[in-house]
Amino acid sequence: MTGTLAALLASLTMTAPVAADEFPDRPMDLVVGFGTGGSADRMTRAMSNFLSEEMGVPVRVTNRPGAGTQVSANYILSRPDDGYTLYASTFAPYLTNTILTGGAEYAIDDFSFINFQWFDLDLIAANKDSGFEDLPSLLEEIRDNPGQVRASVVQGSAGHLMVRLLLEEAGIPQENLNLVTYNSGGEARSAVAGGQVHFTSISAEGSEGIREFLTPLAVINDERIDQWDAPPINEALEPMDLEVPVLQGSMRGFAVSSEMERQYPERFEALSEAIQNTLARKDVQDHLASNDIGGVWVGPERSNELMRENYEIFEQYAHLLN
């Protein structure tokens, strides 16, 4: 064998996709991009036992919070690209913002999104004792009395960007609002429920637990929803003759590195089928519904499209989050 041929065969051995193999044949890891108890963590743990049944191997859940999911994203990219480590997170908008405003060295295309199963639009809501009954009166108060209105948001979230965008479109200086940023939705909700702030802009579905403390002012959507008795954002703004972009809220699901999909397309397909099959089960859907967790299947192609669209929209307004 010539040296050139030997080198070529060695290269093919290292990089050629694996054909049909026994995958998986050992435990798998689900790495959550946030701490325990949050929405991404609840989704992952709710799915883990069912995914274990589908894959036929134990599935372990670990949490790697920090830096707006940058810690977990770097961890995923540092792991072997063999399909045994799955990334479970709220990808939009947090992964996007780690790139646009967090100094991350990776790109959206470094990840391959298997499925977004939980879409959660945002809600703007006031503390029930704040006296604010509609969005125009809230914005007028921020404009006319600088520094008197306080709000809570999750740092880098769609709700954070929405508040900044509202002030910009209304011609209100950003410094007029006393905006408090938190690292988790639980902290931001506790602030508005307890009256430490006047209002919040945050995921609607995750706010069910504090419903009794809130006056909903607007949902960030094009149309009304059954869950909250509030107008869509641009309907709420009609008295002010204002219109803002309707930002996509949270998108949660599962991903791997794009290098993993390239090297092991059969394994990527096996993971996709396992998640799709899991979500097709009635007992799984009942379990997710009873815990207020989303469970739709949109698949890899649509998930990756949605992620790219989210990135492009946030790129337009990233200056508001700096």
Side-chain angles (χ1 to χ4, degrees):
M1 181 183 298
T2 66
T4 301
L5 179 57
L8 175 61
L9 290 175
S11 173
L12 290 174
T13 301
M14 293 176 62
T15 61
V18 171
D21 59 358
E22 295 298 327
F23 173 80
D25 61 2
R26 55 185 169 84
M28 305 181 66
D29 291 310
L30 298 181
V31 178
V32 183
F34 293 88
T36 58
S39 297
D41 182 67
R42 292 196 302 114
M43 175 198 73
T44 307
R45 294 181 188 278
M47 290 284 287
S48 60
N49 288 337
F50 299 114
L51 281 174
S52 178
E53 292 174 9
E54 288 293 328
M55 300 301 292
V57 296
V59 171
R60 301 174 297 211
V61 178
T62 57
N63 299 77
R64 290 187 176 270
T69 72
Q70 192 169 165
V71 170
S72 56
N74 281 325
Y75 177 78
I76 292 296
L77 296 176
S78 73
R79 300 295 298 158
D81 298 304
D82 56 11
Y84 283 90
T85 306
L86 273 71
Y87 193 11
S89 189
T90 305
F91 294 112
Y94 298 101
L95 187 64
T96 294
N97 282 329
T98 62
I99 299 168
L100 293 174
T101 65
E105 295 182 353
Y106 48 76
I108 289 296
D109 289 343
D110 288 330
F111 299 89
S112 184
F113 302 94
I114 300 173
N115 186 50
F116 291 156
Q117 72 174 62
W118 188 2
F119 297 83
D120 192 1
L121 55 83
D122 279 347
L123 168 77
I124 298 176
N127 176 278
K128 68 174 184 177
D129 298 322
S130 67
F132 296 113
E133 299 293 332
D134 57 65
L135 190 55
S137 65
L138 173 64
L139 292 173
E140 288 166 5
E141 180 69 12
I142 298 171
R143 182 190 61 206
D144 297 340
N145 294 287
Q148 297 303 304
V149 178
R150 300 184 302 277
S152 63
V153 295
V154 179
Q155 175 67 43
S157 66
H160 186 183
L161 182 55
M162 193 73 252
V163 170
R164 294 287 197 195
L165 194 55
L166 274 172
L167 297 182
E168 181 173 84
E169 294 296 324
I172 300 172
Q174 298 288 336
E175 58 270 23
N176 276 24
L177 175 65
N178 188 349
L179 185 62
V180 185
T181 60
Y182 292 89
N183 290 320
S184 75
E187 293 174 318
R189 291 187 182 93
S190 294
V192 71
Q196 286 79 42
V197 300
H198 295 95
F199 77 98
T200 189
S201 178
I202 203 163
S203 296
E205 198 163 344
S207 300
E208 279 290 345
I210 60 168
R211 175 184 285 273
E212 63 182 301
F213 302 102
L214 300 179
T215 298
L217 304 180
V219 291
I220 314 304
N221 200 33
D222 289 320
E223 54 190 35
R224 288 179 178 266
I225 61 174
D226 293 335
Q227 185 184 9
W228 290 94
D229 183 18
I233 180 71
N234 283 319
E235 182 180 324
L237 292 171
E238 281 180 359
M240 301 180 74
D241 197 24
L242 279 180
E243 188 168 330
V244 295
V246 178
L247 300 178
Q248 172 69 54
S250 299
M251 295 193 293
R252 307 182 183 96
F254 297 90
V256 293
S257 70
S258 55
E259 186 64 15
M260 180 264 148
E261 183 185 10
R262 190 189 72 79
Q263 289 195 30
Y264 295 96
E266 292 85 0
R267 294 185 184 186
F268 183 85
E269 183 64 24
L271 291 172
S272 299
E273 288 182 2
I275 293 174
Q276 185 176 15
N277 291 340
T278 298
L279 291 173
R281 289 170 50 173
K282 184 178 184 306
D283 58 336
V284 174
Q285 287 294 328
D286 290 344
H287 180 67
L288 295 175
S290 66
N291 288 281
D292 295 321
I293 297 171
V296 300
W297 170 258
V298 300
E301 183 176 351
R302 183 57 181 149
S303 295
N304 283 279
E305 286 177 355
L306 288 168
M307 198 65 201
R308 285 192 292 273
E309 291 170 4
N310 175 268
Y311 184 87
E312 290 169 1
I313 291 173
F314 272 71
E315 191 175 29
Q316 283 182 271
Y317 302 107
H319 63 283
L320 293 173
L321 293 177
N322 289 323

